[in-house]
Amino acid sequence: MCENFGIMHQPATAPASDLAARDLRVIWHPCTQMKDHEDLPPVALRAGRGVWLEDVSGRRYLDAVSSWWVNLFGHANPRINEAVSAQLERLEHVIFAGFTHEPAVRLGERLVALAPPGLTRCFFADNGSAAVEVALKMSFHYWRNAGRPEKTRFVTLSGSYHGETLGALAVGNVDLYKALYRPLLMDVITVPSPDAYLREPGESWQECAARAGAHLERVLAERGDEIAAVILEPLVQCAAGMRMHHPSYLAQVRAACTRHGVHLIADEIAVGFGRTGTMFACEQAGISPDLMCVSKGLTGGYLPLSAVLAGERIYAAFYDDYVKLNAFLHSHSYTGNPLACAAANATLDIFESERILERNRETAQYLGRRARALESLAHVAEVRQTGMIVAAEVVRDRSTREPFPWTERRGRRIHRHALEHGVLLRPIGDVVYFMPPYVIDRAQIDLMVDVAAAGIERATCD
Ligand SMILES: *Cc1c(COP(=O)(O)O)cnc(C)c1O
């Protein structure tokens, strides 16, 4: 059972309780009400290998959420480890203005080659939110440089999520993260999501998408002159609870943006790098956005890195004599970090040499087949899937889809049950989802789904 798991048998450096206690004296964790740790302390880890995480007392947890959607090929992946170590011997970091290096250039070339046609320029940043900020600023700034300074507004979808910095938060639409900060945020135009879970009775995914698309078209027709860009998450609005839509929506939005002279920004931060079944989700609609943000899986889940890919027309609008002050002067200290770029190049090597997208089709098929069984549970309203993402909507009443009161925190009970049974699940509200590393095998899928099923039953039985 633990054969290729040698590193997991080293003695713990500190007992679990001790490390967790030290943690709680100094650390403030992300996306966490710290008081929750009074009855569920943080899990102190000592190692990871493949889909497994191991805590300081030797207990294992299957990482069913790819460590917040970043991990693709398992923890401590030998090929990525080697690439990062080799790069570490050569150059750890350097200022990326006025200097360049092989890992960044090679990565830029490869991203441009892999991206939908027309995206020819690669601007690096160091996390997803920063990439979104870059894309928003680029679009706004493009219209200034192009003599259209009145185009300053952004259109966003209900249920969208683009990160937590103030610009990214402003174009997001998840109230839990956004509502409180509203006084600090720029005003945006919000249109209905094509989210198929919200479709009318008898409506297909495609019809639901067409209805949302028609709404957006009307907004662009009326207000296109003041709009810089539409920003969206293609195919899956992950943070909204893995809400999915038909690819036809993307084609409709692309056409409308072109017709009305508005940029389309595709936030592929969560869905890029094979998550939805294709390298990038946009491919399933055959579209090219004007700007595309990638991060998360870009480095295989190793190091923080992001990129914004832009078309030549946008790039050219910034290319001028310095004194015209048209340049894009945005920067981050760790832009193009060589170690992160080396991890990303190794990740792309694995895609190339191991036929990952093909193999994922089989994995996704098995995962979907197994997860469909959750639909027979009394409190599951829907199981949906896009590629390597599967989600189950847990509700109080499946006939009306009435949710449980959010204050009951059923999802948290499922999380706790799963931890007790060796699986890291982190439901979004009451949406239980699987977004595992691509290296997961069938027995591990069985374990993950069975533990989720038992957790859902246990959390909904009263
Ligand atoms: C995670 C995420 C972001 C933000 O990325 P960070 O690296 O967490 O800042 C932006 N957009 C989407 C769609 C994401 O899933």
Side-chain angles (χ1 to χ4, degrees):
M1 180 176 167
C2 296
E3 265 138 13
N4 47 15
F5 215 58
I7 58 157
M8 297 306 188
H9 298 294
Q10 291 165 8
T13 49
S17 55
D18 183 42
L19 191 54
R22 280 168 52 204
D23 173 290
L24 292 174
R25 280 197 288 274
V26 290
I27 306 293
W28 195 343
H29 286 272
C31 203
T32 298
Q33 169 48 264
M34 293 299 293
K35 189 165 189 284
D36 276 354
H37 283 315
E38 286 181 7
D39 67 341
L40 188 61
V43 180
L45 297 179
R46 68 177 178 198
R49 174 67 63 90
V51 300
W52 296 103
L53 301 167
E54 191 186 69
D55 75 15
V56 292
S57 66
R59 289 176 47 88
R60 301 200 298 167
Y61 308 88
L62 195 161
D63 187 355
V65 300
S66 294
S67 286
W68 254 347
W69 321 342
V70 299
N71 192 287
L72 302 187
F73 302 123
H75 297 276
N77 180 285
R79 289 182 74 174
I80 306 176
N81 283 4
E82 199 196 301
V84 175
S85 315
Q87 183 56 41
L88 195 50
E89 296 299 321
R90 289 196 283 270
L91 177 66
E92 80 300 333
H93 185 66
V94 65
I95 178 173
F96 203 58
F99 290 84
T100 194
H101 47 80
E102 168 77 16
V105 174
R106 188 161 132 74
L107 180 58
E109 289 169 349
R110 296 173 91 180
L111 289 177
V112 159
L114 281 169
L119 296 170
T120 52
R121 299 283 168 172
C122 176
F123 188 99
F124 286 114
D126 50 19
N127 64 71
S129 305
V132 169
E133 302 285 343
V134 166
L136 298 175
K137 286 175 72 178
M138 265 184 190
S139 174
F140 166 90
H141 196 160
Y142 168 89
W143 292 115
R144 298 226 134 211
N145 287 355
R148 300 289 305 278
E150 70 285 0
K151 286 168 79 69
T152 60
R153 318 262 336 244
F154 294 98
V155 176
T156 182
L157 276 50
S158 61
S160 58
Y161 178 86
H162 299 290
E164 303 284 343
T165 55
L166 293 177
L169 203 56
V171 293
N173 189 246
V174 177
D175 261 351
L176 181 63
Y177 307 125
K178 177 173 182 176
L180 176 77
Y181 301 103
R182 216 171 280 271
L184 303 181
L185 304 178
M186 71 173 155
D187 199 21
V188 297
I189 300 167
T190 307
V191 297
S193 168
D195 178 357
Y197 186 70
L198 304 177
R199 67 195 183 277
E200 306 285 346
E203 204 177 38
S204 69
W205 279 42
Q206 191 158 2
E207 287 160 351
C208 173
R211 188 160 47 82
H215 186 114
L216 176 61
E217 283 193 53
R218 283 196 298 278
V219 169
L220 295 188
E222 282 163 24
R223 307 178 65 179
D225 286 347
E226 53 174 314
I227 295 170
V230 174
I231 181 166
L232 54 75
E233 298 153 88
L235 297 189
V236 188
Q237 293 184 305
C238 295
M242 305 298 158
R243 295 298 182 82
M244 301 172 184
H245 57 260
H246 195 276
S248 59
Y249 180 75
L250 303 174
Q252 193 177 359
V253 173
R254 172 68 278 179
C257 284
T258 303
R259 194 165 343 111
H260 298 290
V262 167
H263 289 146
L264 175 59
I265 303 173
D267 176 351
E268 294 244 7
I269 289 166
V271 295
F273 302 101
R275 269 300 162 195
T276 67
T278 42
M279 195 61 172
F280 297 107
C282 284
E283 292 169 35
Q284 293 184 40
I287 64 150
S288 292
D290 299 288
L291 294 159
M292 185 168 98
C293 304
V294 295
S295 185
K296 292 206 164 115
L298 171 60
T299 62
Y302 264 64
L303 287 158
L305 181 69
S306 62
V308 177
L309 301 173
E312 206 58 22
R313 183 152 167 199
I314 291 181
Y315 178 76
F318 292 81
Y319 194 91
D320 209 337
D321 296 328
Y322 184 85
V323 292
K324 300 267 186 62
L325 294 178
N326 283 342
F328 191 61
L329 298 180
H330 186 101
S331 65
H332 294 288
S333 311
Y334 283 99
T335 298
N337 174 260
L339 298 171
C341 290
N345 279 315
T347 298
L348 296 181
D349 289 342
I350 294 173
F351 270 104
E352 274 173 22
S353 63
E354 297 182 24
R355 299 171 31 250
I356 297 301
L357 295 177
E358 251 170 84
R359 284 182 24 196
N360 277 2
R361 270 196 279 283
E362 284 162 40
T363 311
Q365 208 170 31
Y366 185 75
L367 171 61
R369 184 143 45 86
R370 284 296 274 102
R372 288 278 160 212
L374 299 178
E375 233 158 22
S376 66
L377 300 177
H379 289 279
V380 172
E382 177 181 85
V383 174
R384 53 181 175 267
Q385 177 174 26
T386 300
M388 291 292 287
I389 306 173
V390 174
E393 196 87 31
V394 176
V395 296
R396 174 142 84 185
D397 183 340
R398 60 188 281 178
S399 62
T400 62
R401 298 190 158 185
E402 179 203 346
F404 283 108
W406 67 270
T407 50
E408 292 177 6
R409 305 185 73 189
R410 305 274 172 165
R412 184 163 187 258
R413 296 189 212 174
I414 298 167
H415 167 71
R416 181 193 293 261
H417 171 92
L419 276 186
E420 286 165 11
H421 292 82
V423 179
L424 164 52
L425 291 175
R426 204 174 190 288
I428 299 169
D430 293 343
V431 176
V432 176
Y433 70 90
F434 308 112
M435 206 200 267
Y438 302 162
V439 293
I440 193 167
D441 69 24
R442 289 187 171 207
Q444 292 159 350
I445 290 174
D446 291 342
L447 171 71
M448 180 174 80
V449 175
D450 291 344
V451 166
I456 293 170
E457 287 204 291
R458 186 168 155 196
T460 57
C461 59
D462 59 326

